[in-house]
Coordinates of all heavy atoms in Angstrom, one line a residue:
G1 N -62.9 22.3 -124.1 CA -62.9 22.9 -125.4 C -63.1 24.4 -125.2 O -62.5 25.2 -125.9
F2 N -63.9 24.9 -124.3 CA -64.2 26.3 -124.0 C -63.0 26.9 -123.5 O -62.7 28.1 -123.7 CB -65.4 26.5 -123.2 CG -66.6 26.4 -123.9 CD1 -67.2 25.1 -124.4 CD2 -67.3 27.5 -124.3 CE1 -68.4 25.1 -125.1 CE2 -68.5 27.5 -125.1 CZ -69.0 26.3 -125.5
L3 N -62.2 26.3 -122.6 CA -61.1 26.9 -122.0 C -60.0 27.0 -123.0 O -59.1 27.9 -122.8 CB -60.5 25.9 -120.9 CG -61.5 25.9 -119.7 CD1 -61.0 24.8 -118.7 CD2 -61.7 27.2 -119.0
A4 N -60.0 26.3 -124.1 CA -59.0 26.5 -125.3 C -59.4 27.8 -126.1 O -58.6 28.2 -126.9 CB -59.0 25.3 -126.1
R5 N -60.7 28.3 -126.0 CA -61.2 29.3 -126.8 C -60.3 30.7 -126.8 O -60.0 31.2 -127.8 CB -62.6 29.6 -126.5 CG -63.6 28.5 -127.0 CD -65.0 28.9 -126.6 NE -65.4 30.1 -127.2 CZ -66.7 30.4 -127.3 NH1 -67.6 29.6 -126.9 NH2 -67.0 31.6 -127.8
P6 N -59.9 31.1 -125.6 CA -59.1 32.3 -125.6 C -57.8 32.2 -126.5 O -57.4 33.1 -127.2 CB -58.7 32.5 -124.1 CG -59.9 31.9 -123.4 CD -60.2 30.6 -124.3
L7 N -57.1 31.0 -126.4 CA -55.9 30.8 -127.2 C -56.3 30.8 -128.7 O -55.6 31.4 -129.5 CB -55.3 29.5 -126.8 CG -54.0 29.1 -127.7 CD1 -52.9 30.2 -127.6 CD2 -53.5 27.7 -127.2
G8 N -57.4 30.1 -129.0 CA -57.9 30.1 -130.4 C -58.2 31.5 -130.8 O -57.9 31.9 -132.0
G9 N -58.8 32.3 -130.0 CA -59.1 33.7 -130.3 C -57.9 34.5 -130.6 O -57.9 35.3 -131.5
M10 N -56.9 34.3 -129.8 CA -55.7 35.1 -130.0 C -55.0 34.7 -131.3 O -54.6 35.6 -132.0 CB -54.7 34.8 -128.8 CG -53.4 35.7 -128.9 SD -52.4 35.4 -127.4 CE -53.4 36.2 -126.1
L11 N -54.9 33.4 -131.5 CA -54.2 33.0 -132.8 C -55.0 33.3 -134.0 O -54.4 33.9 -135.0 CB -54.0 31.5 -132.7 CG -53.0 30.9 -131.6 CD1 -53.0 29.4 -131.6 CD2 -51.7 31.5 -131.8
L12 N -56.3 32.9 -134.1 CA -57.0 33.1 -135.2 C -57.4 34.7 -135.4 O -57.6 35.2 -136.5 CB -58.3 32.3 -135.3 CG -58.0 30.7 -135.4 CD1 -59.3 30.0 -135.4 CD2 -57.2 30.4 -136.7
G13 N -57.7 35.3 -134.2 CA -58.0 36.7 -134.3 C -56.8 37.6 -134.8 O -57.1 38.5 -135.6
R14 N -55.6 37.2 -134.4 CA -54.4 37.9 -134.9 C -54.3 37.7 -136.4 O -54.0 38.6 -137.2 CB -53.2 37.4 -134.2 CG -52.0 38.2 -134.6 CD -50.7 37.8 -133.9 NE -49.6 38.6 -134.1 CZ -48.9 38.7 -135.2 NH1 -49.1 37.8 -136.2 NH2 -47.8 39.5 -135.3
L15 N -54.6 36.5 -136.8 CA -54.5 36.1 -138.2 C -55.6 36.9 -139.0 O -55.2 37.4 -140.1 CB -54.7 34.6 -138.4 CG -54.4 34.0 -139.8 CD1 -52.9 34.1 -140.0 CD2 -54.9 32.5 -139.8
G16 N -56.7 37.2 -138.5 CA -57.8 38.0 -139.1 C -57.3 39.3 -139.3 O -57.6 39.9 -140.3
D17 N -56.6 39.9 -138.3 CA -56.2 41.3 -138.4 C -55.0 41.5 -139.3 O -54.8 42.6 -139.9 CB -55.8 41.8 -137.0 CG -57.0 42.2 -136.1 OD1 -58.0 42.6 -136.7 OD2 -56.9 42.0 -134.9
V18 N -54.1 40.5 -139.3 CA -52.9 40.6 -140.2 C -53.1 40.0 -141.6 O -52.6 40.6 -142.5 CB -51.7 39.8 -139.4 CG1 -50.5 39.8 -140.3 CG2 -51.5 40.5 -138.1
V19 N -53.8 39.0 -141.8 CA -54.0 38.3 -143.1 C -55.3 38.7 -143.8 O -55.3 38.9 -144.9 CB -53.7 36.8 -143.0 CG1 -54.0 36.2 -144.3 CG2 -52.4 36.5 -142.5
G20 N -56.4 38.7 -142.9 CA -57.7 38.9 -143.5 C -58.8 38.2 -142.9 O -58.6 37.0 -142.4
R21 N -60.0 38.6 -142.8 CA -61.1 38.0 -142.2 C -61.5 36.7 -143.0 O -61.8 35.6 -142.4 CB -62.4 38.9 -142.1 CG -62.4 40.1 -141.3 CD -61.3 40.8 -140.7 NE -61.5 42.1 -140.1 CZ -60.6 42.8 -139.5 NH1 -59.4 42.4 -139.4 NH2 -60.9 44.0 -139.0
P22 N -61.6 36.7 -144.3 CA -62.1 35.5 -145.0 C -61.3 34.3 -144.8 O -61.7 33.2 -144.8 CB -62.1 36.0 -146.5 CG -62.3 37.6 -146.4 CD -61.5 37.9 -145.2
Q23 N -59.9 34.5 -144.8 CA -59.0 33.4 -144.6 C -59.2 32.7 -143.2 O -59.3 31.5 -143.1 CB -57.5 33.9 -144.6 CG -57.0 34.3 -146.0 CD -57.5 35.6 -146.4 OE1 -58.3 36.3 -145.7 NE2 -57.0 36.2 -147.6
V24 N -59.5 33.4 -142.2 CA -59.7 32.9 -140.8 C -61.1 32.1 -140.9 O -61.2 31.0 -140.3 CB -59.8 34.0 -139.8 CG1 -60.3 33.4 -138.5 CG2 -58.5 34.6 -139.6
L25 N -62.1 32.6 -141.6 CA -63.3 31.9 -141.7 C -63.2 30.5 -142.4 O -63.9 29.6 -142.1 CB -64.4 32.8 -142.4 CG -64.8 34.1 -141.7 CD1 -65.6 35.0 -142.6 CD2 -65.4 33.8 -140.3
M26 N -62.3 30.4 -143.4 CA -62.1 29.1 -144.0 C -61.4 28.1 -143.1 O -61.8 27.0 -143.0 CB -61.3 29.3 -145.3 CG -62.1 30.0 -146.4 SD -63.4 29.1 -147.0 CE -62.6 27.8 -148.0
I27 N -60.4 28.6 -142.3 CA -59.6 27.8 -141.5 C -60.5 27.3 -140.3 O -60.4 26.1 -140.0 CB -58.4 28.5 -140.9 CG1 -57.4 28.9 -142.0 CG2 -57.7 27.8 -139.8 CD1 -56.3 29.8 -141.6
S28 N -61.3 28.1 -139.7 CA -62.0 27.7 -138.6 C -63.0 26.7 -138.8 O -63.3 25.8 -138.0 CB -62.7 29.0 -137.9 OG -63.6 29.5 -138.8
I29 N -63.7 26.7 -140.0 CA -64.7 25.7 -140.3 C -64.1 24.3 -140.6 O -64.7 23.3 -140.2 CB -65.6 26.2 -141.5 CG1 -67.0 25.4 -141.4 CG2 -64.9 25.9 -142.9 CD1 -68.0 26.0 -142.4
F30 N -62.9 24.3 -141.2 CA -62.1 23.1 -141.2 C -61.9 22.5 -139.8 O -62.0 21.3 -139.6 CB -60.8 23.3 -142.0 CG -60.9 23.0 -143.4 CD1 -60.6 24.1 -144.3 CD2 -61.2 21.8 -144.0 CE1 -60.6 23.8 -145.7 CE2 -61.2 21.5 -145.3 CZ -61.0 22.5 -146.2
M31 N -61.4 23.3 -138.9 CA -61.0 22.9 -137.6 C -62.1 22.3 -136.8 O -62.0 21.6 -135.8 CB -60.3 24.0 -136.8 CG -58.9 24.4 -137.4 SD -58.2 25.7 -136.5 CE -58.1 25.2 -134.9

């Protein structure tokens, strides 16, 4: 699970910069 974190950081982090921080916070808690 931890080794998957960099990929998650790249995908969700990019989403946070492009779409917005609040949207990422909703997605991550579901996941």
Side-chain angles (χ1 to χ4, degrees):
F2 277 79
L3 294 175
R5 287 177 60 163
L7 177 60
M10 184 175 292
L11 296 175
L12 295 179
R14 186 181 189 281
L15 197 62
D17 284 326
V18 174
V19 178
R21 297 12 172 176
Q23 288 80 353
V24 170
L25 294 176
M26 291 294 285
I27 291 169
S28 64
I29 202 166
F30 265 118
M31 289 175 64

